[in-house]
Amino acid sequence: MKYISIIAMAIAMCGAGRGGYACTGITLKSTDNSLVVARTMDWSREELNNMYVIVPRGRTTQSVLPDGRSGGVEFTTRYGFAGLAVEQPEFVIDGINEAGLGAALFYFPGYGKYVEYNPDYNDKTLADFQVVSWILSQFSTIDQVQAAIQDVRIVNVDTRTTTVHWRIVESSGRQVVLEIVDGVPHFYENEIGVLTNAPGFPWMVTNLNNYVNLHPGTAGPTNIRNLHMAAFGSGSGLHGLPGDMTPPSRFVRAAFLQSGAIPQDTGYQTVLQAFHILNNFDVPVGAQFAVGTAPNNMPSATQWTVATDMANGTIYYHTMYSRAIRSIDLSQIDFETVPYQAHPLDMRHAETITAAPYAGK
């Protein structure tokens, strides 16, 4: 397996810290019970090698070790899957398998801690950036993942970097967050369906209590003595909703925007709704750096956004270069015969603009 030094920076693409990363995940359900999980993928320091991959049954993969060599845990694909990856096809960030299990990686700086890498256990060592591929290729339920996690030693793909955590979802609607703290894996039931970065997931849920006063709609009117007070406009029930880009604020904002979403009739309609909600989390590159210090001039720090219809096994995505939504329908893939493949998310790095039709000159 080819090892690339850029991953030391790319691994830091979905969290909070010295500017550059702010991934946000939400969950929606349609009236026909289709489950949609969606998220942004943010990294503002440089354009990543973004791709989608299709992995057939029977493909054998060996985890990369922290020194860059192959030689970690070996696993053969039981369930074909598709997903979106960065830098290398093995580094799947978000995907779903043919059994209806989904998994995704989010940055988790400063609060997680894996076991120390020990070459004596290479045959059980699994790089954190390959956990999503391992989950999707091996399992059909969350319970199976929970049982198997004790058999592997998850370590940093690069020992200079910090940790990540994971969202694991069943099409039934069950969702958990996996966080490794002091070398111990913890699974948290994620009934709210939101995930960002640090601090840990239980703290994020507790922090929502600080916003118990917020509600959809309009606040007031009310009177103070003889003074009549009314809102300046609609939506004032959410006055005080945090708008900054820190992970706790994005968690709160995502939770309230998601909770106020009108249930749609189908999974496809819910996918479109998810993209509109996540538009609120697009990050301009210059917003995460001091004025004049942004390291590049990409269209957006939000390099891609993905929404997966779990019930219908379809991945939808758009990118910073093209807002046109593209799809990968697993029902159209024969995972017994399809070749292993990886393709760029964008064939051209330019927005497609079509002139509106009009009469006359």
Side-chain angles (χ1 to χ4, degrees):
M1 178 186 296
K2 175 186 173 186
Y3 181 75
I4 47 180
S5 61
I6 194 175
I7 203 62
M9 292 182 291
I11 198 170
M13 69 194 164
C14 296
R18 294 191 299 271
Y21 13 83
C23 297
T24 303
I26 62 173
T27 307
L28 299 169
K29 183 174 282 190
S30 64
T31 56
D32 69 358
N33 287 322
S34 294
L35 184 76
V36 171
V37 289
R39 57 88 60 83
T40 62
M41 203 298 295
D42 300 86
W43 170 242
S44 63
R45 293 191 176 275
E46 62 191 302
E47 181 181 344
L48 296 171
N49 181 23
N50 298 303
M51 66 192 81
Y52 70 87
V53 299
I54 297 174
V55 182
R57 299 182 209 123
R59 177 179 173 82
T60 298
T61 300
Q62 191 166 36
S63 176
V64 68
L65 299 172
D67 60 8
R69 297 179 296 108
S70 293
V73 63
E74 186 176 275
F75 52 96
T76 300
T77 304
R78 298 174 183 169
Y79 302 101
F81 67 92
L84 275 58
V86 298
E87 295 306 322
Q88 298 181 194
E90 296 83 5
F91 296 157
V92 176
I93 302 301
D94 198 297
I96 183 175
N97 69 18
E98 60 180 322
L101 189 69
L105 174 156
F106 292 72
Y107 191 49
F108 186 48
Y111 287 83
K113 184 179 180 181
Y114 308 137
V115 295
E116 294 292 331
Y117 169 61
N118 185 336
D120 292 339
Y121 298 98
N122 276 353
D123 61 340
K124 293 187 175 183
T125 297
L126 177 61
D128 52 359
F129 252 49
Q130 290 179 268
V131 169
V132 171
S133 292
W134 175 71
I135 289 173
L136 296 179
S137 71
Q138 299 297 294
F139 309 111
S140 60
T141 68
I142 291 171
D143 286 343
Q144 291 172 358
V145 178
Q146 289 177 304
I149 204 75
Q150 307 300 330
D151 297 330
V152 296
R153 293 170 58 88
I154 297 173
V155 301
N156 293 99
V157 70
D158 190 307
T159 56
R160 295 168 292 176
T161 62
T162 185
T163 54
V164 300
H165 58 181
W166 298 267
R167 175 181 69 186
I168 310 168
V169 190
E170 294 177 354
S171 56
S172 65
R174 187 185 176 197
Q175 181 176 156
V176 299
V177 175
L178 167 61
E179 296 179 346
I180 300 176
V181 179
D182 293 329
V184 179
H186 300 271
F187 289 86
Y188 302 105
E189 298 291 331
N190 187 359
E191 295 181 357
I192 194 169
V194 173
L195 187 62
T196 57
N197 315 108
F201 179 74
W203 185 95
M204 292 288 200
V205 175
T206 300
N207 182 55
L208 289 175
N209 290 287
N210 283 317
Y211 301 90
V212 68
N213 59 298
L214 301 185
H215 59 86
T218 302
T222 188
N223 294 309
I224 296 181
R225 294 193 176 184
N226 294 325
L227 177 63
H228 179 74
M229 296 185 300
F232 292 120
S234 60
S236 58
L238 291 179
H239 183 68
L241 186 71
D244 63 82
M245 297 173 187
T246 61
S249 293
R250 286 184 285 106
F251 192 99
V252 173
R253 193 158 71 252
F256 277 94
L257 294 181
Q258 170 187 286
S259 68
I262 300 171
Q264 302 296 296
D265 291 336
T266 66
Y268 174 72
Q269 292 171 321
T270 304
V271 163
L272 300 182
Q273 182 184 50
F275 281 118
H276 285 294
I277 292 173
L278 288 177
N279 284 342
N280 292 274
F281 299 90
D282 278 359
V283 180
V285 173
Q288 294 183 313
F289 300 92
V291 175
T293 65
N296 61 74
N297 191 26
M298 293 187 301
S300 174
T302 304
Q303 298 202 18
W304 44 266
T305 302
V306 60
T308 301
D309 182 343
M310 299 290 297
N312 295 296
T314 306
I315 299 169
Y316 299 85
Y317 70 91
H318 64 57
T319 72
M320 64 178 174
Y321 284 111
S322 175
R323 306 297 283 185
I325 298 173
R326 287 146 278 178
S327 66
I328 305 169
D329 184 350
L330 270 65
S331 70
Q332 301 301 307
I333 301 172
D334 183 346
F335 286 103
E336 190 65 35
T337 61
V338 70
Y340 176 80
Q341 54 197 282
H343 305 277
L345 292 190
D346 291 298
M347 298 307 295
R348 60 189 295 266
H349 290 179
E351 193 76 54
T352 299
I353 299 175
T354 304
Y358 55 93
K361 292 184 178 180

